[in-house]
Each structure stands twice: as C-alpha cells, then as structure tokens.
Amino acid sequence: MVPTWILALYVILTLLAYPVASDWTSTPFNPPSYPLAVRTPYLSAWLPSPGGGVALNQVWPEFWTGATLGWAGFAKVNGVTYSFLGESSVENFTRATQVSAKFTSTRSIFVLTAGPVDLTVTFLSPIEPKDLVKQSLPFSYLAVSAASNDGSSHNVSVYTDITGEWLSTDHTAAINWTTTIGDAITHQSRLKTQKEYTESKNRILQGSVYYSTRNVDGVTYQTGQSTTVRSHFINNGKLANTRDTNYRAINNDWPTFALARSLGKVTKDAPKYAVFSVGHVRDPVIKYIQNNGVTFEGRSYYFWSTYKTTFGAITAFLLDYSAALSRAKSLDNKLRTAAESISSAYADIVALSMRQTLGATELTISGSPGAWNTDDVLMFIKEISSDGNINTVDIIMPTWPALMYLNPKLGEYMLLPLLQYQATNQYPNTWAVHDLGAHYPIANGHDQGLDEKMPIEECGNMINMMLDYTQRTHDTSLVKKYSVRLNQWAKYLVANTLYPVKQLSTVDFDGPLPNQTNLAIKGIIGLQAMSVISKKYLDDTESGNSYSKTAASYLKTWQTHAISSDGTHLTLEYGKQSSDVLAFNLAMDKLLGLNFIPDSVNSMQSAYYKKQLAKYGFPLDSRSTYTSAGILSYCSLSTRKLNNFFLPRMDDVDSNDYFRLGQR
Ligand SMILES: *[C@@H]1O[C@H](CO)[C@@H](O)[C@H](O)[C@H]1NC(C)=O
Ligand SMILES: *[C@@H]1O[C@H](CO)[C@@H](O)[C@H](O)[C@H]1NC(C)=O
Ligand SMILES: *[C@@H]1O[C@H](CO)[C@@H](O)[C@H](O)[C@H]1NC(C)=O
Ligand SMILES: *[C@@H]1O[C@H](CO)[C@@H](O)[C@H](O)[C@H]1NC(C)=O
C-alpha cells in the first residue's frame, strides 16, 4: 500500500503540473483558442485562451496570426458599467464575471454575470453549406442577451465597438470611414490606399470592414477616439450619434466605430438582446487565370447574384438572425450526433474545427453587376498557418470529408479551378499540380512547373477525391470531362507509386524521404480508385482492368516492404524496422468504399496505435512527437462508418497555433 503522504504529494504535484483551472464551466472543454468571427481568410477573429484560463473580457481578440483586433463590449446595468468583451483601458467600469464558456460547430457562447444581470454573449459564424448566397456572405454575428438573475427587473443597455485594427496589422496605415443609416446602421472603414489582391502579414489591403446593427428603438452610434466613445457610453449608457471625420491612421487616437442599444427593463423570464454584425467585403475577391495566362478574371462573392449593395446584404443578414440561429442549432446537433457515433472526444474536435475549416474558404462567381453567372461557381481555399498557397490539393484533401458531409457540390467547386487550369496544358509537369498559385487570393497557376513538388501525394488525392465526389453525387460530368487528366495521373502512379523516389508528402514540415509507406499506399489506392472510375463511369473496361491488376500486384509487394519484420506495424520507410507512421492514407480505402486494403493491415495498425498512444494521440511518424487532428477528418464524417480504424483521443490538446486556421 502507498502511504497517504505519498498520495497527497502526488496530488499536489499533479495539480501544480496543470495550468490554473478556470473559474468557469467549459463545454465541452477549454480550447486554447475560441473562434469568434471566422468566415473567410480575412474575417478571422479568435479569443486566445492559452491553457484555457482566459476569459472573454481579459484579453483582446486576435486575428489568426495573433495580431490584436480591438473589439470591446460593455453593458450598463442600473447605472453601473460592466465590460464583457476585450481589455479596454478606460475608467469607471467593472469586469463582468465569466461563469461559462461553450462552443458548438457554429457558435462560441459565453455567459458573464454583470451584477444582477446575466449576459449571454453569442458569437455565431454561420455555416450554410446548401445556400451558396448565405455561405458566401462574409459576415458574422455577435448577439448579447441580458436577463435578470435576482428576480427583480433591471435597466440594461449594451455597447460594442471595433477599431481600425480590423483593417491592417500596420497601425500607421491611414484609414477613412463613413456611417450609413437606413434599416441598419453601418460603420464602414477602409484602408486609404487600396491594393487589389495584395496581402501584408496575411491581411488583405483591399475592401472594407463593416460593423452594423439594425436601426431599431434605442440604438445609438458614434465614431471617434476609442477612449472618447467608450467613456461616452460608460458615463451616459448611450452614444452621441456623432461622426468623427478627421480621417487618420489606425493608431492615431485609435478611431473606433461604436454601436449601442438600450434594452430597457429586463427580467428573468423575458431576456432582451441586441445583435451586431462584423464583416469584411472586397470586390473582386479572386484573381483567376484565363486564356493561358493572357488575361485574368476578377471573381466576386456569390452573394452579389442576390444583393445589389453591401448595405442591402448586411440588412438582410441582420434581419435573418433568428432564422440563422435556428439553422445553426440544427446543424450543430446534426454534426454532433454524426461525430458522436465515433466518439464524444471526436465530436468535440469536429465542433471546434468546423468554423475553422469553412473559414479558410470563399465562394465566387464570374460576371458583373446585372450579369452574374451563377452557373460558374468556384470555391477557393487559403493554406492558412502555412505559406498561403491557394487551392492546395493536399489541403483540400483533409478538408474533403467535411465538404462531402456538408454538401458534396462544394467539393466540385473547389476542384474545378485546379481541373480547368490543368486542362489547358499550361502546367508542364505530368503529375498533378500542388496548388493554383503561390499566394491567396491570386490563382495564377504554375506555368513554369515550379510549384511545391508532391507528385504522388497530389495524383493520388485528385483521383481519390474525384471518385468520392462521383460516387456521392452520381454526377459523372467531372470525371468524364477531365478523363484525360485522370488517366495521365494514373499512369504517373503506375510508373512511380510502388517505389516512390525521395520526395515530400503532405507532412512536408518533416522533409522528404524515399519509399514512404504511407505515400505509396495513397498512390496504390488511387490506382484502385481509377479502375472504378474507368469501368463504372468512363466505359473503359480495358484500362479499368489494367489499373486494378496493377493495384492488386502493387498492394502485395507493398505489404512485403511496408510491414515490419516482426509483423506488428507499418514502417515509415520501406525496411526501416525501428520506424513507424500514422498511416492515415489507409482511411481513403474506407471513405471510397473500395474494401481493397486487407483487414489484417487495418487491425494490425489499430492494435499498434492503441499500444503506442502518446498524450495527444499517435505521433504522425517516428521522426517527431507531434500529431495532427486534421488527419482525423479523413476518418470521420463520411456516410460510411470506419470500422476497425482506431481514432486517437484528442480531448486535451494544448498547442495554441494548432486550432487556428491550419488545415492540417
Ligand atoms: C470616472 O468617474 C469619476 C467619478 O464619477 C469622474 O470624475 C471621471 O471623470 C470619470 N472618468 C471618465 C474617464 O469619464
Ligand atoms: C476614403 O478614401 C478614398 C480614397 O482616398 C475615397 O475614394 C473615399 O471617398 C474616402 N471615403 C470617405 C468617407 O472619405
Ligand atoms: C435606462 O438606462 C438608460 C441608459 O443608461 C437611461 O438613459 C435611461 O434613462 C434608463 N431608464 C430608466 C427607466 O432608468
Ligand atoms: C526503395 O525500396 C526498394 C525495395 O526495398 C529498394 O530496392 C530501393 O533501393 C529503395 N529506394 C531508395 C531510394 O532507398
């Protein structure tokens, strides 16, 4: 038996080893970063909460890069002002006390006690997979609801603002702004010097930020120095309805765009709320290669096919709040139920990553006002937390299961730019291109063929994703139209995938290796997938038979090289006995319903993962100790359940960067 004092010491040491526990309840767990307004690569606001111990009103929200975003919130309750959002340095307020924090797939919800009133602060970034107009609206909601917590009724008014920091990380940049009053009140702010399609520090130097609320009873507004407008609300419970027209730099007396609403008396049973929206709009959105690079097309947000002005789009967005909230709740529940059929820890990770996944994308159409072409839909994704490439194939791949679950057409819209470009023969290599341009939002291709070289990775990904799309939608047009490319990539795999020469895989941060077990099997599965495409959809039995014959023979040889000599696991590299790997590419076989990989391989790996599990899951491979939850998305939201595939437990992840926008 262990003496009691040793147990006591153990408990104390264990407690010391963990970050200070927060004083609020967190559901389902305290993530290192909460998504707040996350809808596009440039509308990406987060609450950094390292160790899970930071409340909504203890720090400023941040852009995904870590740059500060001024976003302040106060509530005045019976004459006393409480802060609920941000870290303002003005006088005469008390910090509300956070009592709970919760996230779902579409929402982050914080409850804070402000004296006799509880504030429920909901950040809703809609995910609208089947409604392209709504999905393309680059706006997010902030709703603040107040309810009495002591049985009496209380007089409440609510204030929020944003600063020019939403426009640029360079605070010396000159900005100007204007306030428009109609069915909504909107503060529009923009960089004075606009640079189309140009990023600086991952911010776009083009377009405007909009901060808005409906123009209803009790709403007031003000623009001006941050301390001036915040103090005005703190002292008066409302704003002055005045405009500061001294346009200046972001850090020159910090121009601030504020909105407030008096809710009047609130009781316990009849809470009242105010809704604000924040958004970043630019037009055009994407520069897209045309006519073999002779011209470029400026593509616009899909929502322009419905709204004539940004102001109209914002008004509709605000009016839609209640309906958007109920759609969001049903999507949250649907995702939770689907993911929980695998595990509840997995459902938590799915909930935390959904806004992040869609928030790297933008939905576009071609045309011009009055003549939009809604038959020409293309979706773009930025390789965030990385090098900023546009439509990177091995970034689309881990995003893919989410797209297939939400709406398979989105997968088509994302592959089409890659297919259209490669069909022109501008890309000189025989393998599939890695991405459509070195930096978002410019999709200018790689006519010199100098894109990051991942030949087997991307050939396998393209074929596998195209089969998956076709099987789910029964739309054969994609594989038919691009059959020449598919066969070209399959031939590349025939010649190269059994013994891959030294090259990168999607785990490029670990560097290149020859004979990678996990890479080879992606290509081999790709050949099996191509045999299905050929036979089932291209009416080409001869090629189909030839691909499946090659795939079967490669699979046999692969097993002789890839399985460790003691028969316990797959090695990272053929024959390297001491190495191992998280062989996530095997999941593609299940996702596609091929049933090509022998059960013995899957059960061997599952047993090995369980035995070798580290704190945050099974390491990606034996070169390092880190792992990736992005990999989990491979294994998850398909309509086919993955049998026999062990999912590591990931309910205790603490890498701050991880949950920002990296797709890995
Ligand atoms: C804070 O409150 C005190 C006392 O009411 C007042 O004198 C002071 O001006 C207030 N500060 C600001 C910045 O309004
Ligand atoms: C802001 O500056 C731009 C370019 O200098 C100008 O076109 C626009 O009218 C200005 N807006 C306001 C509200 O002054
Ligand atoms: C409620 O609060 C607002 C803002 O602080 C104030 O203007 C209003 O007079 C108050 N109403 C009552 C009935 O106290
Ligand atoms: C790859 O593995 C095969 C089979 O073991 C071996 O013959 C070949 O030399 C390896 N290639 C490299 C580059 O190590």
Side-chain angles (χ1 to χ4, degrees):
M1 240 186 94
V2 184
T4 318
W5 69 269
I6 292 187
L7 278 179
L9 185 64
Y10 176 75
V11 169
I12 290 166
L13 289 175
T14 308
L15 289 175
L16 286 177
Y18 284 94
V20 184
S22 54
D23 296 330
W24 53 87
T25 59
S26 13
T27 314
F29 66 92
N30 255 323
S33 198
Y34 282 89
L36 299 181
V38 178
R39 292 217 68 186
T40 74
Y42 309 116
L43 182 67
S44 189
W46 299 76
L47 173 71
S49 186
V54 181
L56 186 62
N57 56 359
Q58 270 179 327
V59 287
W60 285 118
E62 290 179 350
F63 191 63
W64 70 260
T65 55
T68 297
L69 297 175
W71 200 0
F74 295 102
K76 194 157 190 172
V77 180
N78 301 336
V80 181
T81 305
Y82 298 85
S83 79
F84 63 83
L85 170 61
E87 202 199 4
S88 305
S89 57
V90 283
E91 290 173 8
N92 297 343
F93 72 85
T94 315
R95 226 178 237 161
T97 306
Q98 184 163 308
V99 293
S100 69
K102 174 180 172 171
F103 64 82
T104 66
S105 287
T106 60
R107 292 169 293 152
S108 295
I109 306 149
F110 302 84
V111 177
L112 299 96
T113 298
V117 159
D118 283 346
L119 303 170
T120 301
V121 185
T122 301
F123 296 86
L124 166 59
S125 291
I127 294 173
E128 307 269 12
K130 301 246 166 86
D131 185 326
L132 304 188
V133 171
K134 290 194 167 73
Q135 179 57 36
S136 75
L137 286 170
F139 305 110
S140 188
Y141 298 105
L142 161 57
V144 187
S145 161
S148 166
N149 61 26
D150 68 356
S152 307
S153 70
H154 304 286
N155 186 20
V156 178
S157 47
V158 165
Y159 164 101
T160 65
D161 71 42
I162 62 164
T163 64
E165 289 157 296
W166 287 69
L167 287 164
S168 172
T169 303
D170 170 16
H171 295 161
T172 63
I175 62 173
N176 66 11
W177 55 86
T178 181
T179 302
T180 305
I181 300 176
D183 291 336
I185 299 182
T186 293
H187 297 302
Q188 173 185 3
S189 55
R190 66 204 293 275
L191 290 168
K192 198 150 186 256
T193 307
Q194 294 274 309
K195 289 191 185 148
E196 228 172 48
Y197 308 124
T198 307
E199 280 191 353
S200 170
K201 296 185 176 153
N202 285 295
R203 314 292 289 274
I204 193 81
L205 306 179
Q206 176 194 357
S208 298
V209 168
Y210 293 85
Y211 200 62
S212 320
T213 194
R214 282 177 64 196
N215 189 5
V216 291
D217 270 1
V219 169
T220 51
Y221 69 89
Q222 193 170 342
T223 55
Q225 182 176 0
S226 57
T227 50
T228 307
V229 294
R230 287 169 190 165
S231 298
H232 192 98
F233 176 82
I234 289 169
N235 293 327
N236 302 287
K238 58 187 172 198
L239 291 167
N241 290 340
T242 55
R243 300 161 194 236
D244 178 343
T245 52
N246 174 25
Y247 306 127
R248 56 191 186 268
I250 291 168
N251 66 2
N252 182 353
D253 283 343
W254 302 98
T256 296
F257 315 107
L259 297 165
R261 178 162 179 204
S262 295
L263 298 176
K265 296 278 178 204
V266 306
T267 62
K268 198 177 177 120
D269 301 325
K272 290 184 181 165
Y273 65 95
V275 179
F276 307 90
S277 75
V278 63
H280 191 299
V281 183
R282 65 192 198 282
D283 189 59
V285 172
I286 298 284
K287 182 175 177 177
Y288 186 56
I289 189 164
Q290 299 283 288
N291 302 324
N292 286 35
V294 176
T295 57
F296 287 87
E297 172 184 79
R299 299 187 61 88
S300 300
Y301 280 127
Y302 193 103
F303 78 78
W304 289 113
S305 60
T306 296
Y307 300 107
K308 288 198 173 62
T309 63
T310 309
F311 192 76
I314 290 170
T315 305
F317 184 75
L318 288 167
L319 280 168
D320 193 41
Y321 177 70
S322 301
L325 182 61
S326 62
R327 286 193 303 275
K329 284 178 179 170
S330 53
L331 181 65
D332 289 344
N333 291 338
K334 194 177 154 205
L335 282 163
R336 178 105 219 150
T337 307
E340 258 175 358
S341 73
I342 291 174
S343 87
S344 84
Y346 176 67
D348 299 346
I349 295 290
V350 167
L352 191 58
S353 29
M354 245 339 131
R355 279 169 286 177
Q356 174 174 350
T357 301
L358 276 296
T361 72
E362 296 184 296
L363 260 173
T364 69
I365 45 174
S366 57
S368 53
W372 298 110
N373 183 3
T374 50
D375 291 332
D376 176 22
V377 187
L378 300 179
M379 195 174 189
F380 294 89
I381 183 165
K382 179 175 172 181
E383 188 175 342
I384 293 179
S385 292
S386 175
D387 53 12
N389 291 174
I390 181 167
N391 284 36
T392 306
V393 179
D394 59 292
I395 294 300
I396 298 176
M397 184 62 246
T399 310
W400 189 257
L403 298 180
M404 291 303 99
Y405 181 83
L406 293 168
N407 176 6
K409 287 302 270 185
L410 299 178
E412 181 194 28
Y413 302 147
M414 212 176 256
L415 292 184
L416 271 174
L418 293 157
L419 292 167
Q420 289 174 354
Y421 170 64
Q422 289 171 96
T424 62
N425 287 318
Q426 283 157 271
Y427 183 62
N429 299 321
T430 51
W431 57 84
V433 75
H434 170 267
D435 61 72
L436 204 54
H439 219 97
Y440 207 90
I442 300 175
N444 58 351
H446 288 283
D447 290 4
Q448 310 304 313
L450 298 176
D451 50 318
E452 190 174 2
K453 199 172 163 186
M454 288 190 197
I456 292 173
E457 176 74 48
E458 311 308 21
C459 287
N461 285 334
M462 289 302 290
I463 295 171
N464 291 335
M465 289 191 284
M466 285 168 78
L467 173 60
D468 197 19
Y469 168 79
T470 311
Q471 289 187 150
R472 286 170 197 272
T473 59
H474 308 293
D475 165 15
T476 57
S477 66
L478 203 66
V479 287
K480 285 198 170 118
K481 187 159 183 195
Y482 298 101
S483 61
V484 172
R485 253 4 89 173
L486 282 166
N487 277 297
Q488 175 192 321
W489 299 329
K491 290 199 175 95
Y492 184 87
L493 292 175
V494 169
N496 295 284
T497 200
L498 185 55
Y499 297 109
V501 297
K502 186 174 173 181
Q503 65 192 279
L504 294 172
S505 73
T506 190
V507 188
D508 58 355
F509 38 91
D510 274 335
L513 278 182
N515 279 338
Q516 293 181 62
T517 294
N518 189 35
L519 185 61
I521 200 63
K522 172 172 278 178
I524 298 170
I525 292 170
L527 287 176
Q528 183 67 10
M530 190 60 201
S531 79
V532 177
I533 293 175
S534 306
K535 287 191 237 179
K536 214 164 148 190
Y537 303 118
L538 299 180
D539 216 9
D540 183 355
T541 317
E542 197 185 319
S543 306
N545 286 339
S546 156
Y547 290 132
S548 59
K549 210 172 137 209
T550 306
S553 117
Y554 283 9
L555 177 62
K556 243 180 165 166
T557 311
W558 176 82
Q559 289 180 76
T560 67
H561 295 306
I563 298 175
S564 62
S565 51
D566 63 1
T568 58
H569 66 281
L570 296 171
T571 58
L572 168 63
E573 204 181 321
Y574 291 169
K576 284 262 152 65
Q577 298 306 326
S578 59
S579 69
D580 58 24
V581 63
L582 181 63
F584 49 81
N585 286 325
L586 290 173
M588 215 54 223
D589 179 51
K590 299 280 183 192
L591 198 70
L592 296 172
L594 296 173
N595 296 318
F596 167 69
I597 301 293
D599 283 345
S600 59
V601 171
N602 287 328
S603 45
M604 171 188 73
Q605 277 305 92
S606 291
Y608 186 76
Y609 296 151
K610 275 179 192 154
K611 221 166 65 201
Q612 303 288 328
L613 206 57
K615 187 175 176 194
Y616 299 122
F618 186 83
L620 274 175
D621 63 53
S622 42
R623 283 174 292 181
S624 58
T625 56
Y626 41 73
T627 190
S628 163
I631 296 310
L632 289 177
S633 73
Y634 274 116
C635 316
S636 57
L637 294 166
S638 77
T639 49
R640 298 179 191 90
K641 279 252 317 257
L642 299 176
N643 303 316
N644 217 3
F645 207 87
F646 178 69
L647 293 164
R649 208 176 135 78
M650 296 284 297
D651 54 355
D652 192 18
V653 181
D654 69 355
S655 149
N656 202 18
D657 274 328
Y658 186 65
F659 281 115
R660 298 236 172 94
L661 280 170
Q663 293 299 313
R664 291 201 179 90

